[in-house]
Amino acid sequence: MIQIKGLQKIYRTDEVKTTALNRVNIDIKEGEFVSIMGPSGCGKSTLLNILGLIDSPDGGEYHFLDEEVAKYTERQRSKLRKENIGFIFQSFNLIDELTVFENVELPLIYAKVSAKERKARVNAELEKLSMMHRAKHFPQQLSGGQQQRVAVARAVINNPKLILADEPTGNLDSSNGNDVMKTLVRLNDEGATIIMVTHSQYCAEFGDRIIRLLDGQVVTENIVATKQMI
């Protein structure tokens, strides 16, 4: 699904040049669950933004679904992103003025799905995540764990081939964190490819493989011998 070769990202100011990614090489197969770890500032979020077509690299190659996308325009990246990628963020990124139902529905509106189908798909996803009873509530009326479940529902409502999760349990207690990990495992079992950035070794071991970054470079890649179970 993903092949990156010699990927580079450099941030420049008038006085400072910072190399966020330094010739990174990674292959990720369709259906894998890959965890990315490393200290703050090592390039994890930069890598995730490039994989998610939010940002573009300064050098190297990025093949996504057999397309070379490294030099795509923002319009090209946006189209490919909307059709294939779902995002889950540590801070949830829900829209406060929209209800739970409306937050989850939003990607379907952008995709021009009919109102009847939108209602059926949103209700089905909220049922799966035990959030149907909160459909008319607003984000500020929910707990952190409930907000993250809504964010997960929104991320997967278009059945994306790839799910990118940036510290999805970072703002949650262990119980709610386990619920999110259980959902990610289910989505992976259903066929989604998942790439998750995390500081938690426990969460990382729900994946098939752990990639560790340091100073913008891959330092280790290890298969998870015994995956975590809930």
Side-chain angles (χ1 to χ4, degrees), residues 66-217:
D66 297 323
E67 295 184 50
E68 168 52 274
V69 301
K71 296 182 180 180
Y72 267 22
T73 65
E74 170 52 32
R75 185 173 182 177
Q76 289 173 310
R77 293 200 309 270
S78 178
K79 182 177 186 296
L80 197 59
R81 184 170 63 238
K82 285 191 293 186
E83 293 174 351
N84 296 284
I85 302 174
F87 295 88
I88 303 170
F89 302 97
Q90 178 178 354
S91 55
F92 318 136
N93 286 10
L94 300 176
I95 299 173
D96 288 340
E97 294 77 19
L98 299 182
T99 64
V100 165
F101 185 98
E102 291 166 340
N103 266 281
V104 178
E105 181 188 33
L106 201 57
L108 298 177
I109 293 175
Y110 291 146
K112 299 181 179 179
V113 175
S114 71
K116 182 178 180 180
E117 185 178 350
R118 292 200 307 266
K119 182 177 180 180
R121 286 169 64 174
V122 172
N123 286 345
E125 200 58 51
L126 291 177
E127 285 285 2
K128 283 183 186 178
L129 294 169
S130 302
M131 286 298 295
M132 193 62 212
H133 66 298
R134 296 288 194 178
K136 294 182 180 180
H137 286 70
F138 291 91
Q140 60 268 29
Q141 296 174 303
L142 307 178
S143 69
Q146 289 172 332
Q147 289 187 60
Q148 191 61 296
R149 275 186 272 169
V150 176
V152 170
R154 182 185 58 188
V156 304
I157 196 65
N158 267 333
N159 300 314
K161 296 180 177 68
L162 174 65
I163 297 172
L164 301 177
D166 192 357
E167 295 283 355
T169 65
N171 285 337
L172 304 177
D173 59 31
S174 59
S175 176
N176 283 309
N178 276 338
D179 286 343
V180 170
M181 294 312 304
K182 184 177 180 180
T183 299
L184 291 178
V185 169
R186 172 178 64 79
L187 293 168
N188 182 238
D189 288 342
E190 291 173 356
T193 303
I194 295 177
I195 303 174
M196 177 181 68
V197 164
T198 182
H199 279 100
S200 166
Q201 181 70 32
Y202 170 76
C203 290
E205 290 175 359
F206 282 94
D208 304 305
R209 183 161 49 117
I210 299 175
I211 296 173
R212 295 183 186 274
L213 297 182
L214 182 65
D215 296 333
Q217 295 180 304

